[in-house]
Amino acid sequence: MALNLYNSLTRRKEEFEPLNKGRVGIYVCGPTVYGHAHLGHAKSYVSFDILTRYMRYLGYEVTYVQNITDVGHLTDDADEGEDKIATAAKKENKHPMALAEYYTRSYFEDMDKLNCFRPDISPRASGHILEQIGMVTTLLKKGYAYEANGSVYFDVSKFENYGKLSGRNIDEMIAGARVEVSPDKKNPADFALWKKAERNHIMQWPSPWGMGYPGWHLECSVMSTKYLGKTIDIHGGGLENQFPHHDCEIAQSEATNDLQFVRYWLHNNMVTVDGQKMGKSLNNFITLKQAFSGTHERLTKSYDPLAVRQLILNSHYRSPLDFSDAALFAAQSGYGKITETVKALRKRMEIASTGSIDEEIVEQLKQMREKFEAGMNDDLNTSVGLSVMFELVRLAQSLLEDSRTTKETLNLLDVLFDRLGGDVLGIVKEDYQQDATADEGLTDKLVNILIEQRKDARTNKDFALADQLRNTLDDMGIVLEDKPDMTTWRMK
RNA sequence: GGCGGCGUAGCCAAGUGGCCUAAGGCGACGGUUUGCAAAACCGUUAUUCGCCGGUUCGAAUCCGGCCGCCGCCUCCA
């Protein structure tokens, strides 16, 4: 079975076929870096991280491009607002580029924690001004754009299917227009390609139309074309960007190149917090840093970044996801179960005896892999993929109960955890040692001394002392686990 | 106003015409194990998929109506 993806353009699931055999170009709308990344970013970028990971798993050579918007994104889409970066820079008293740099780093830091692979290319809008001017020039030359008072606008009436992605037509939009229309525009739906800069505007560049800066929609068209070609396989982004952003991209790009811009449009759904849309004006805006540290009044504790990732994978990328403390808590428990199982499995592999492989297990694992792939092939159903991980957990635990399980059999499970849980889902780590503090060796020795003391106490039926030792360690966050032949410990 | 989505167990969530007497997780309860626990394992937890009607040999899945919730079009991915 081949990979099927829901294409927003056709509103259907379609079998994915790349333009060039074996290679895929993916462009995803990146963040506007004027604040720390929040839960909404997490859902979007984890979703597209899964897409690229799974395509690589299938053997495609993927080029993943995700822009950084550091100029031109205005505070409203009527093209009359202020530049978001400039506004935030003024507030934080920083140079706009310093602000953008600061939040770009913050963004990557958070995405690294969520175990999202870095894009192959992270182009900045401000680094592609020349190319953007080039596209505006072409559009003017071809009659799709007009200059007015130092700004250049795209004339939507010249582009036949404007709004085809979001299913809108121009007349409806004019009727529903809620924002003031610039007097420079011929048509209220026209959008800015290039904006004239006022003299005090910090970010501005020389252009054939005077000093100014590019319109927000332009950067994605220009940078995707530059790095992936005039027609790209996949373009992803949040549902809220479908209109106007993506429809504008289509109009600009297709008017410029006379070729289909994007073959598969993918849109992830939005997040809510405690059942309501997340907004800065409501009191439920949670950044990733707050979630990871538990410093938000809606959260009762801190959450492991990978537990956040797992919660995202628990539902479909095209479904809305409600973040709540309870949901995060449940994900944290489930994530812990998978992690502990993988750790136990690997520890056991070190001491398990070698021997034959259980053929029945081989067959079970084969079926699990098939179920996993069938789910992922069906428009990236990570919920099914995750359910396979828990089936694998149950199988692993039952095999760990049996002391006769061979190293070879355990290794088969470990491979599946690595490939499906690690490579594709990104919730199983290659190595958990790094999590531990530097003095783990010392801690291990000290705890083992106490475990020995407790063992002696238990042998002597001095349970009061045995329990005291266990409780003291528990208070320090160290949990003892009594196994038939030995006692092990782990951090809570 | 325009466009779109959703309503499945206490909670989260897959499934969208027969393999569904409905995955998986969290939680809860019972058992095994244990000196007692924890962890782990086994089992139980929706005869039913918002409500009503229709199509069909057959519907959670299709159609119509009703009720409820949410999102985008504005801050925002």
Side-chain angles (χ1 to χ4, degrees), chain A residues 20 23-28 61-68 119-132 135 218-234 257 261:
Chain A
N20 300 304
R23 307 170 74 95
V24 186
I26 301 175
Y27 186 92
V28 171
E61 194 176 308
V62 177
T63 303
Y64 180 25
V65 180
Q66 188 190 99
N67 63 290
I68 297 288
D120 296 300
I121 305 174
S122 301
R124 270 75 164 169
S126 63
H128 297 75
I129 301 295
L130 285 177
E131 290 89 340
Q132 297 189 70
M135 186 175 270
L218 199 57
E219 57 169 292
C220 290
S221 287
V222 162
M223 298 192 291
S224 64
T225 303
K226 174 161 182 167
Y227 299 111
L228 296 172
K230 291 176 179 173
T231 296
I232 64 178
D233 289 305
I234 296 175
N257 298 319
F261 175 42

Side-chain angles (χ1 to χ4, degrees), chain A residues 442-451 473 478 480 489:
Chain A
L442 180 64
T443 308
D444 196 49
K445 281 175 196 160
L446 290 170
V447 174
N448 281 335
I449 289 171
L450 294 171
I451 285 175
L473 286 170
I478 293 170
L480 299 186
W489 68 273

Side-chain angles (χ1 to χ4, degrees), chain A residues 202-457:
Chain A
I202 302 176
M203 289 187 290
Q204 49 180 298
W205 289 264
S207 79
W209 319 286
M211 295 303 285
Y213 56 96
W216 172 45
H217 311 302
L218 199 57
E219 57 169 292
C220 290
S221 287
V222 162
M223 298 192 291
S224 64
T225 303
K226 174 161 182 167
Y227 299 111
L228 296 172
K230 291 176 179 173
T231 296
I232 64 178
D233 289 305
I234 296 175
H235 188 131
L239 199 55
E240 86 290 353
N241 278 151
Q242 206 174 56
F243 188 87
H245 188 49
H246 293 158
D247 264 315
C248 293
E249 285 185 44
I250 291 174
Q252 295 160 347
S253 299
E254 299 192 350
T256 301
N257 298 319
D258 298 311
L259 285 170
Q260 182 177 17
F261 175 42
V262 171
R263 301 176 64 233
Y264 301 87
W265 278 98
L266 270 55
H267 291 98
N268 65 277
N269 216 314
M270 318 286 282
V271 307
T272 52
V273 172
D274 293 328
Q276 271 192 306
K277 70 190 285 190
M278 184 171 80
K280 280 178 174 159
S281 49
L282 301 160
N283 197 23
N284 65 353
F285 192 88
I286 303 178
T287 67
L288 291 169
K289 288 182 185 357
Q290 287 171 328
F292 300 160
S293 62
T295 51
H296 192 283
E297 61 179 37
R298 301 254 177 169
L299 304 177
T300 57
K301 65 186 284 290
S302 62
Y303 291 100
D304 194 309
L306 292 191
V308 174
R309 182 178 176 101
Q310 183 162 312
L311 177 58
I312 292 166
L313 301 184
N314 186 233
S315 64
H316 192 89
Y317 77 93
R318 283 193 292 115
S319 301
L321 169 61
D322 184 45
F323 277 95
S324 63
D325 191 62
L328 282 162
F329 194 91
Q332 180 76 60
S333 297
Y335 170 69
K337 191 169 171 180
I338 293 173
T339 303
E340 291 307 320
T341 302
V342 174
K343 281 188 195 169
L345 179 74
R346 290 178 184 166
K347 211 174 233 176
R348 181 66 162 277
M349 282 170 65
E350 290 169 12
I351 55 167
S353 54
T354 57
S356 60
I357 292 174
D358 188 333
E359 285 306 318
E360 201 180 306
I361 301 298
V362 173
E363 178 57 27
Q364 279 188 57
L365 294 177
K366 184 170 163 257
Q367 284 177 14
M368 285 186 195
R369 193 190 271 262
E370 283 168 2
K371 182 178 172 186
F372 182 92
E373 290 179 0
M376 293 300 286
N377 280 335
D378 182 15
D379 196 29
L380 306 172
N381 192 329
T382 50
S383 187
V384 167
L386 193 57
S387 78
V388 172
M389 294 314 295
F390 282 105
E391 286 172 19
L392 193 56
V393 162
R394 206 188 311 158
L395 179 63
Q397 292 289 4
S398 67
L399 288 173
L400 289 173
E401 291 280 301
D402 187 344
S403 60
R404 293 164 305 179
T405 304
T406 64
K407 189 172 184 170
E408 285 74 9
T409 301
L410 293 173
N411 185 250
L412 288 180
L413 299 217
D414 191 44
V415 167
L416 220 51
F417 271 120
D418 280 343
R419 291 286 280 143
L420 308 185
D423 294 349
V424 180
L425 298 182
I427 51 173
V428 171
K429 295 188 193 176
E430 248 172 67
D431 193 353
Y432 288 95
Q433 298 308 106
Q434 295 158 348
D435 294 352
T437 48
D439 71 340
E440 165 146 353
L442 180 64
T443 308
D444 196 49
K445 281 175 196 160
L446 290 170
V447 174
N448 281 335
I449 289 171
L450 294 171
I451 285 175
E452 279 306 309
Q453 290 213 326
R454 176 164 165 273
K455 188 181 166 192
D456 291 342

